[in-house]
Each structure stands twice: as C-alpha cells, then as structure tokens.
Amino acid sequence: MSELSVPHLLGIKYLTPEDIELIFNTADNFKDVINRPIKKVPSLRDITIANLFFENSTRTKLSFELAEKRLSADVINFSASSSSVKKGETLIDTVNNILSMKVDMVVMRHPNPGASVFLSERVDARIVNAGDGAHEHPTQALLDSYSIRERLGEVKGKRVLIVGDILHSRVALSNIFALQKLGAEVMVCGPRTLMPKYIESLGVRVEYNLDEALKWCDVANMLRIQLERQDIKYFPSLREYTMMYGLTMDRLDRLNRKDLVIMHPGPINRGVEISSEIADSNQAIILDQVENGVAVRMAVLYLLAEQIKHG
Ligand code: NCD
C-alpha cells in the first residue's frame, strides 16, 4: 500500500493498521534524511501549509514547523493570542481567510474537542489535528508507537502502561487507539478521580496501584497532570500524587530495576510524575520521542501531500 486511506489526519480512530505501518515505513526514510548533513528534501516544494495554534504549544509547533521546512513546504504561522479571533471572528471565517491565500494544508491545535473534524467538513484543505482539547493528538501517538517499535523491534504483543491524568489527556486516548491497532496490550493507571467512567469500554486494563501496574508492563508512558484542564481538585496535593503515582528510582529498585522502557510526551514536570533521575536515565526514551516526532510528522505531511498532487 502506498496511499493513506484518509484525506486528513483527524484522529488515530480513523486510521487503519495499514495506514500506521505506511506512516512508519515512510518515517524510516525521513529519519535517514534528517540525519544526513543536508537535511532537506524538495518533496513539498509546491505545497503551502498554515500552522494554526489556538492553544499554547512548544514542541508540537516547533516539530511540525521543522518537518514542513525539511520537506521544503512554504509555511505560515498563526497563534490565537495575536490574531483576530480575539476580535470575535469565527473559526471558519479565520480559516477561510487564510485558505483564500492558496493554502493547501492546515495543521491545527484547538482547545475544543472535535474542532479539526468540524473544520474538515467545512473547508477545502487537508487538515492535520495537532491536538483538539482532551480528545485526540494523533501525531503524538504515532511518534510514541514509532519510538516503541524503534526500541523494542515491534509494538505487537508489547504491554504498554499509560499512567496519570487519563481523564484529561488526548495523548492517552490517541495512544490507546494506536497501540491497540498495532496489536499491543494496554493498561491505564492513575487516581480513580482521573479515570474516565467509560474507560473499560475501550478494551484496556485498569489498575489503580502503580507498583502492580509496573510489574505487568514492558513500557511505561508517564503523563503530565493537565492542571489547565482541571476545574476542580481531583487529588489532595501534588506531593500526594507523586507518592502514589510518581515514577522514582525507589519504585524501580523495588522491582529489581526491571528493564522498563520509560516514555513521556513532554512537557515534563520533574519531581511530579517522574523523577529527574529517571527522566535522565538510559531507560527513558523521551528525547528519542522528540527526534522521531519530526520524522513521523514529515511522513504524515508527505503522504497527505501525495494525495493532493495525484488529484
Ligand atoms: C501534550 C499535549 O499537548 O497534549 N504535549 C505535547 O504535545 N508534546 C501533552 C501535555 O501537554 O502534557
């Protein structure tokens, strides 16, 4: 297969396992490219991409921008804090204004779940979801599974644990979909108050005791507490959260330093969900995830642009 089955990347939910394999194989090629002295290829030379960020972001925005530039696309950037959205313009009007400048693709981060699906039904451009509220963050899940495949050879059959604020995390939901499509087993762990009520219907295991969960898994993905999305208090204090759900060397010592692969999507809150010692250890692949993010995003943009070129 050489084409994606979808015209947009709105969520992992809409991808087939074959789509994900195609993205990974394409990313392998781009990973070679970005490790060469000349890191740029002309693949997207006639494509213009708008990065629309209606919510704060550091690494995702930089990663997309770098991916676009390494593919030689023309890039325009927009962030909500400096835009006419503040003057009352609607999302559709904002985007249609940008598209009338002959933009082919839109990469959008938005605080509202479903914003990119909404946009894809109403405007004439390829849409890539860079995170829509607490819903999906598909490129993060792709780069996470890609990084597991790189470290462990394959994703199929691996036991992957996701720890933390499952309720507010788009990274958790997209990871669950991606890992299951690739044949991994998934367990989630966190305080009961941060566990969605429907979680079991997603076919994942649920464990509330982190030590038990760590015994089970090959990979642990430690999530950040999404304080910006929490309108009430979900646990007594960050100190208590760390005692129950923080990954520390003490915890790993109790498991005889089990050779777990440790992941984090960033930004890290050192000393909260993960200790510095662990974050900086050889078991952590956090910076590999960041590196792979550029190659995986290049693959997604390249595959969507191929569809534009072939009509
Ligand atoms: C994540 C996000 O924005 O959802 N970060 C990211 O994309 N690198 C996770 C987070 O903010 O905790």
Side-chain angles (χ1 to χ4, degrees), residues 150-170:
E150 184 179 71
R151 180 57 77 106
L152 297 178
E154 62 177 339
V155 178
K156 192 168 183 285
K158 297 291 178 287
R159 294 175 158 192
V160 183
L161 171 68
I162 305 174
V163 183
D165 186 354
I166 312 296
L167 183 65
H168 298 101
S169 173
R170 53 193 172 209

Side-chain angles (χ1 to χ4, degrees), residues 47-308:
I47 300 284
T48 305
I49 305 180
N51 297 318
L52 311 186
F53 279 72
F54 295 91
E55 197 191 276
N56 292 343
S57 164
T58 317
R59 82 210 67 222
T60 304
K61 188 158 179 262
L62 290 178
S63 180
F64 268 110
E65 208 176 322
L66 210 51
E68 292 154 3
K69 289 184 169 159
R70 295 204 163 140
L71 290 165
S72 307
D74 290 321
V75 179
I76 54 173
N77 287 306
F78 159 104
S79 64
S81 52
S82 58
S83 74
S84 295
V85 177
K86 289 252 179 314
K87 300 179 188 168
E89 192 172 52
T90 67
L91 175 63
I92 301 289
D93 283 337
T94 303
V95 175
N96 272 330
N97 268 282
I98 294 166
L99 292 182
S100 59
M101 297 183 243
K102 305 281 174 259
V103 168
D104 305 290
M105 271 195 229
V106 171
V107 173
M108 182 171 75
R109 170 166 289 195
H110 198 282
N112 294 348
S116 52
V117 175
F118 175 83
L119 200 61
S120 71
E121 288 164 353
R122 287 166 181 81
V123 305
D124 187 20
R126 305 290 164 143
I127 311 293
V128 178
N129 180 5
D132 58 335
H135 180 221
E136 279 227 38
H137 190 355
T139 55
Q140 180 68 45
L142 290 168
L143 75 89
D144 287 344
S145 284
Y146 183 85
S147 303
I148 294 174
R149 166 184 179 265
E150 184 179 71
R151 180 57 77 106
L152 297 178
E154 62 177 339
V155 178
K156 192 168 183 285
K158 297 291 178 287
R159 294 175 158 192
V160 183
L161 171 68
I162 305 174
V163 183
D165 186 354
I166 312 296
L167 183 65
H168 298 101
S169 173
R170 53 193 172 209
V171 177
L173 189 61
S174 287
N175 259 278
I176 291 170
F177 290 144
L179 291 164
Q180 288 179 335
K181 287 186 189 216
L182 294 172
E185 282 186 73
V186 185
M187 178 186 278
V188 292
C189 179
R192 279 174 201 274
T193 47
L194 290 173
M195 203 54 83
K197 290 205 170 47
Y198 58 82
I199 190 74
E200 265 148 14
S201 69
L202 294 178
V204 298
R205 292 163 192 256
V206 184
E207 171 63 64
Y208 295 103
N209 180 313
L210 180 59
D211 294 307
E212 292 302 318
L214 289 171
K215 276 186 208 156
W216 175 87
C217 68
D218 303 309
V219 178
N221 194 349
M222 307 304 297
L223 304 179
R224 184 178 65 86
I225 296 290
Q226 309 275 301
L227 286 173
E228 72 278 21
R229 297 212 172 85
Q230 300 183 1
D231 41 1
I232 57 169
K233 262 187 159 261
Y234 287 85
F235 47 85
S237 69
L238 277 182
R239 208 171 85 89
E240 184 158 330
Y241 179 83
T242 305
M243 275 167 52
M244 305 278 291
Y245 294 105
L247 189 54
T248 57
M249 238 1 138
D250 276 357
R251 272 220 152 85
L252 284 190
D253 282 345
R254 272 185 258 147
L255 297 170
N256 296 324
R257 292 280 175 116
K258 181 179 172 183
D259 195 20
L260 280 180
V261 177
I262 294 157
M263 307 177 67
H264 194 302
I268 300 179
N269 283 144
R270 285 177 183 261
V272 180
E273 65 272 6
I274 190 167
S275 70
S276 272
E277 213 182 347
I278 301 248
D280 300 330
S281 73
N282 289 335
Q283 281 177 261
I285 58 167
I286 301 171
L287 294 178
D288 298 325
Q289 291 172 260
V290 178
E291 180 185 344
N292 290 336
V294 178
V296 165
R297 292 184 172 110
M298 284 173 83
V300 167
L301 296 167
Y302 171 82
L303 291 167
L304 292 176
E306 282 298 286
Q307 296 179 343
I308 299 176

